[in-house]
Amino acid sequence: MARVVAYQNLYGPLTPVRMDLLMARLGMDVVAPHMKRGHKADLKDHLVTWDRRTRHQKTPEELLATIRGIQEGFDRGDSR
């Protein structure tokens, strides 16, 4: 399994052409009803980026904000 993941990281998915786009659309459609009013699901948020050179590298501040958001979700869950 590790070899398959490594191959996909280098050369892209082992699926038929644009199957990843179809799965991203499915993910977007599943998430859309659960989003806050006024927000829209975005296809690029669900599409896997296979080329490491085109991946967005998060800054330390962005990583910290992500972790704080996750922690806030856990904290809200404890108060129920």
Side-chain angles (χ1 to χ4, degrees):
M1 184 66 182
R3 290 181 182 181
V4 172
V5 172
Y7 181 88
Q8 289 182 352
N9 285 339
L10 290 173
Y11 303 110
L14 295 174
T15 59
V17 177
R18 301 315 316 179
M19 186 64 80
D20 57 335
L21 187 62
L22 178 65
M23 291 298 114
R25 176 62 196 211
L26 177 64
M28 188 179 82
D29 292 341
V30 167
V31 170
H34 304 286
M35 297 185 75
K36 291 181 181 178
R37 185 168 285 184
H39 290 88
K40 293 180 103 177
D42 194 11
L43 185 66
K44 68 179 172 113
D45 292 336
H46 298 274
L47 190 60
V48 176
T49 304
W50 294 101
D51 187 10
R52 291 178 189 218
R53 293 169 290 191
T54 60
R55 288 184 185 171
H56 170 70
Q57 295 294 323
K58 292 188 176 184
T59 65
E61 292 80 16
E62 291 173 327
L63 291 171
L64 184 59
T66 301
I67 292 170
R68 284 184 176 157
I70 293 169
Q71 184 62 46
E72 286 174 10
F74 284 124
D75 292 343
R76 275 183 281 180
D78 291 340
S79 63
R80 291 182 183 172

